[in-house]
Amino acid sequence: MANIKVVDMAGKEVGALELSDKIYGIQEINGAVLHAAVRMYLLNQRQGTQSTLTRSEVSGGGKKPWRQKGTGRARQGSTRAPQWIHGGVVFAPKPREYRITMNRKVKRAALYNALSSKMAANEIIVVDSIVTESYSTKVMVNMLAAVGAGKKSLVVLDTMDDKVIKSFANIPGVKTVQADQINVYDVLNCNTFVMTSAAAAKIEEVYGK
């Protein structure tokens, strides 16, 4: 079990926490699994709704613009051919589904590798609790500075706290997420992985099985 210090919102050490080696202690990071997980995440964000018209779908163009021979100009069959203004698009993109899937075992392995890489790089910070009595961006900015979080931070909470989430919302580069909804892309894309003690327990409960 890996030990990590626990700090309060002022950055003062208040204890220690044992983290599972299964989740945070992988020694040899599997880059191929991480790549597959990130690729799946990015592809699944695409809506695939792009659509343009081919020459057969553009209105008009039924009449031959000029006779085939004798004009000295290149032969043309329609004013909706791709080389004409207002013509159709060659190999026009059409709506399609980009979504791909991974099996549960591989997705879980990718998350373990991502969290282990953060642990190895000392980019995980555990805060005993993150609370605020009012909606205050300033409180959260000061908290992140006190605990030594980077410019791009992923803040993991155990429950949906509306005041905390909205207080983080205006801070550039900071994203909040619940412990049972973390993904490989967000973990790798942050400079600092900040989680509460309760969120750490939730991660082990949800993903440690």
Side-chain angles (χ1 to χ4, degrees):
M1 302 288 281
N3 283 324
I4 188 170
K5 69 178 182 179
V6 179
V7 298
D8 60 15
M9 291 181 64
K12 181 181 178 181
E13 185 172 346
V14 294
L17 185 67
E18 285 190 348
L19 299 178
S20 170
D21 285 337
K22 178 181 178 181
I23 300 176
Y24 302 93
I26 297 176
Q27 299 299 316
E28 295 185 8
I29 304 301
N30 189 331
V33 170
L34 292 176
H35 176 270
V38 170
R39 179 173 177 268
M40 180 190 71
Y41 176 86
L42 294 176
L43 284 176
N44 290 351
Q45 302 308 300
R46 299 188 66 173
Q47 294 184 359
T49 56
Q50 74 280 17
S51 182
T52 55
L53 302 180
T54 64
R55 63 181 294 173
S56 65
E57 296 169 318
V58 179
S59 177
K63 180 181 178 182
K64 189 174 176 66
W66 51 76
R67 62 184 182 175
Q68 182 80 348
K69 294 178 179 294
T71 65
R73 291 181 288 187
R75 53 195 175 190
Q76 301 292 326
S78 171
T79 57
R80 296 300 179 261
Q83 73 271 20
W84 285 75
I85 296 175
H86 305 303
V89 177
V90 181
F91 305 126
K94 292 295 180 183
R96 56 168 288 192
E97 178 62 67
Y98 288 95
R99 180 169 295 275
I100 61 175
T101 60
M102 294 172 61
N103 65 54
R104 180 177 178 274
K105 184 177 181 181
V106 178
K107 285 194 291 186
R108 190 62 54 86
L111 184 60
Y112 293 168
N113 277 266
L115 291 172
S116 294
S117 69
K118 287 295 175 185
M119 189 69 179
N122 295 317
E123 294 176 351
I124 293 181
I125 297 173
V126 180
V127 184
D128 59 347
S129 64
I130 301 176
V131 294
T132 180
E133 296 180 357
S134 61
Y135 297 94
S136 175
T137 298
K138 183 178 180 180
V139 169
M140 296 308 163
V141 169
N142 292 338
M143 187 275 290
L144 291 174
V147 302
K151 290 184 177 180
K152 292 179 67 175
S153 297
L154 180 65
V155 180
V156 184
L157 307 172
D158 61 311
T159 58
M160 292 291 289
D161 187 324
D162 190 61
K163 289 182 179 178
V164 172
I165 292 172
K166 289 188 176 180
S167 295
F168 276 117
N170 287 332
I171 307 176
V174 176
K175 181 176 182 179
T176 56
V177 66
Q178 280 187 265
D180 57 354
Q181 295 176 352
I182 58 177
N183 63 76
V184 173
Y185 178 82
D186 285 340
V187 173
L188 296 178
N189 193 43
C190 68
N191 297 130
T192 314
F193 185 86
V194 182
M195 61 180 172
T196 63
S197 298
K202 189 74 172 179
I203 289 173
E204 294 197 14
E205 175 187 346
V206 174
Y207 301 104
K209 298 177 181 178

